Amino acid sequence: MCARDTPLQRHAERNCRLRNGAGRVAHLKALGVPAAYHPGDLRHPEQIASMMDAAVHAFRAVDVLVNNAVVRQCGAMENFVPEHWDEALAVNLAASFHTIRLALLGMTHSRLNKAESAA
């Protein structure tokens, strides 16, 4: 049994609040960091475009882009569902292509232009 007000519990509760986009934005803004949240499903290019448009609208340009979304499906090939394969390709590969392509349009005018993909 844990005490109700321990540093570990406070840390866990803070992390839980920061997992959602709105909570993370509120936390960053409280620190004086400009931040915005725009939900989107990286499996769908039109939602990626909407997300990138929202970023440009909020910040005038994307100076730095970090692609860090990943979908992992594990299992034997004979049991692997084709929809999981399609989802992994959409999120792990195509989403990076679309975000980089859209970010580069504004990055040509920035001195900080950098795009990074990690999985």
Side-chain angles (χ1 to χ4, degrees):
M1 182 178 220
C2 296
R4 293 198 51 89
D5 192 28
T6 65
L8 183 60
Q9 182 184 16
R10 286 191 302 271
H11 178 73
E13 289 172 0
R14 179 179 162 270
N15 282 342
C16 186
R17 284 192 309 273
L18 294 180
R19 280 192 192 118
N20 69 61
R24 190 169 300 271
V25 166
H27 177 72
L28 290 170
K29 285 184 174 182
L31 296 173
V33 177
Y37 174 69
H38 185 82
D41 188 332
L42 296 177
R43 295 173 296 177
H44 303 289
E46 68 279 358
Q47 291 189 34
I48 295 169
S50 176
M51 177 183 65
M52 297 303 290
D53 285 344
V56 170
H57 178 73
F59 304 110
R60 290 188 283 184
V62 175
D63 294 325
V64 177
L65 172 66
V66 177
N67 285 311
N68 194 31
V70 66
V71 171
R72 290 194 176 101
Q73 303 291 341
C74 300
M77 184 62 111
E78 62 271 15
N79 299 327
F80 205 80
V81 180
E83 291 80 15
H84 290 171
W85 175 256
D86 294 338
E87 179 185 44
L89 288 177
V91 174
N92 302 345
L93 184 61
S96 290
F97 165 77
H98 291 298
T99 54
I100 291 169
R101 178 181 58 83
L102 294 166
L104 286 176
L105 298 173
M107 284 183 167
T108 56
H109 304 292
S110 171
R111 291 179 295 137
L112 299 173
N113 53 16
K114 180 164 176 82
E116 177 93 18
S117 291

